[in-house]
Amino acid sequence: MITSEIISNPLLLNTQQTLKVIEIFLRDEMRRTGFQKAVIGLSGGIDSALSAYLAVRALGKENLHCVMMPYKTSSPESLRDGKEIVNDLGVTSEVVEITPMADAYFAINPKMDKLQMGNVMARLRMIVLYDHSHTQKALVIGTSNKTESLLGYTTLFGDNASAINPIGDLYKTQVRQLAKTLNIPKTVLEKAPSADLWSGQTDEEEMGLKYEEVDLLLHHLVDLRESDEELLAHGFKQEFITKIRGMIRRSQFKRMPPVIAKISPRTVNIDFRYPRDWGS
């Protein structure tokens, strides 16, 4: 058990201030890139829902297009919830069934495990989304949160791909706080978090942890840079600390752009990495 000191919730947001910061971020980044419109892959889950609501607040409903991309094993409730979000926001949307694309690839390797299949579906969805970003002349808005990013619970070049991400510095429990503030539909708020990669799949069961507990540990471990001794003093178990540290280390490659061998005086993402370098 963790102590009451931690349970006092150091992750509690000033929601109005956070909303203002994110709105300014979205407007500034859109203006900087020269785009007016955005596209979001809407899964029916809380993360993509929050990104959609934030985008509408910052850019206006006329500047957001949502794409729902179910597979044949996807939960019907996910599509239902996605459509409810679209109706609530008043944005344009479409449904693109990825089953024919996915099954064509699965047929090549019928021995794929669930994780492989899930990764393929996540990357196919991003192919569809970026294709729509071209036709819509829009930027892809990200929907991955900080917890997923730190734990590596994302698919590289799949659900973690985007041009800009308004919720990437929010832990899952903070995503819920903002979602409640924005009155996101109750069905979305209350259902178990799931990437909907296969029937009955849930994030917490697959990772073997609870978001409330891991978010608190990540806050002390990452944000406050506390040592194991300090974490143990709070009441976290060593086994839990070791597990989460390992997940963070093993997934670092997912949080980085491709590593480039340095040959020239100025290398992309090593030296050539600041706005002034490309004239902004």
Side-chain angles (χ1 to χ4, degrees), residues 31-248:
R31 188 182 304 113
R32 184 178 63 81
T33 55
F35 285 84
Q36 286 188 316
K37 296 192 67 175
V39 293
I40 284 180
L42 199 59
S43 68
I46 192 170
D47 295 320
S48 62
L50 178 58
S51 288
Y53 277 75
L54 291 168
V56 167
R57 283 175 64 96
L59 310 175
K61 64 182 181 180
E62 69 279 5
N63 288 318
L64 179 65
H65 184 73
C66 292
V67 186
M68 291 161 279
M69 297 164 281
Y71 180 67
K72 63 186 178 184
T73 59
S74 296
S75 168
E77 287 75 22
S78 295
L79 186 58
R80 177 205 66 196
D81 292 341
K83 289 179 177 179
E84 183 178 358
I85 292 163
V86 164
N87 290 335
D88 191 35
L89 290 173
V91 297
T92 60
S93 69
E94 60 191 294
V95 177
V96 178
E97 176 74 51
I98 66 164
T99 301
M101 294 180 283
D103 283 352
Y105 188 75
F106 296 155
I108 299 172
N109 184 3
K111 295 183 179 180
M112 277 188 178
D113 60 32
K114 286 183 176 180
L115 181 58
Q116 284 179 282
M117 295 175 71
N119 285 337
V120 168
M121 286 187 272
R123 290 179 177 127
L124 284 175
R125 288 181 174 120
M126 201 50 63
I127 289 172
V128 171
L129 200 57
Y130 268 89
D131 181 59
H132 280 68
S133 78
H134 174 76
T135 58
Q136 294 280 333
K137 294 181 173 56
L139 281 186
V140 174
I141 301 292
T143 62
S144 291
N145 62 61
K146 188 173 184 176
T147 309
E148 294 172 339
S149 177
L150 287 171
L151 299 182
Y153 193 64
T154 59
T155 298
L156 193 59
F157 305 117
D159 57 297
N160 76 345
S162 65
I164 54 177
N165 186 343
I167 68 168
D169 203 26
L170 297 174
Y171 290 111
K172 186 72 170 189
T173 49
Q174 295 175 322
V175 166
R176 289 172 179 160
Q177 291 175 45
L178 276 195
K180 288 178 181 178
T181 300
L182 295 179
N183 294 317
I184 286 174
K186 191 174 180 181
T187 53
V188 177
L189 285 172
E190 294 183 351
K191 67 181 175 182
S194 172
D196 204 16
L197 298 177
W198 55 82
S199 179
Q201 182 260 349
T202 67
D203 297 352
E204 292 178 317
E205 183 178 349
E206 189 178 356
M207 288 189 287
L209 48 81
K210 296 293 184 183
Y211 277 120
E212 286 79 3
E213 294 180 5
V214 76
D215 282 357
L216 286 168
L217 175 58
L218 288 171
H219 169 69
H220 285 269
L221 180 62
V222 176
D223 299 333
L224 303 184
R225 302 183 180 183
E226 293 184 350
S227 66
D228 280 15
E229 290 75 18
E230 291 172 305
L231 297 172
L232 289 168
H234 286 308
F236 293 109
K237 300 300 184 184
Q238 184 63 61
E239 182 181 4
F240 187 42
I241 298 168
T242 302
K243 175 181 178 178
I244 299 307
R245 279 194 187 277
M247 293 177 75
I248 293 171

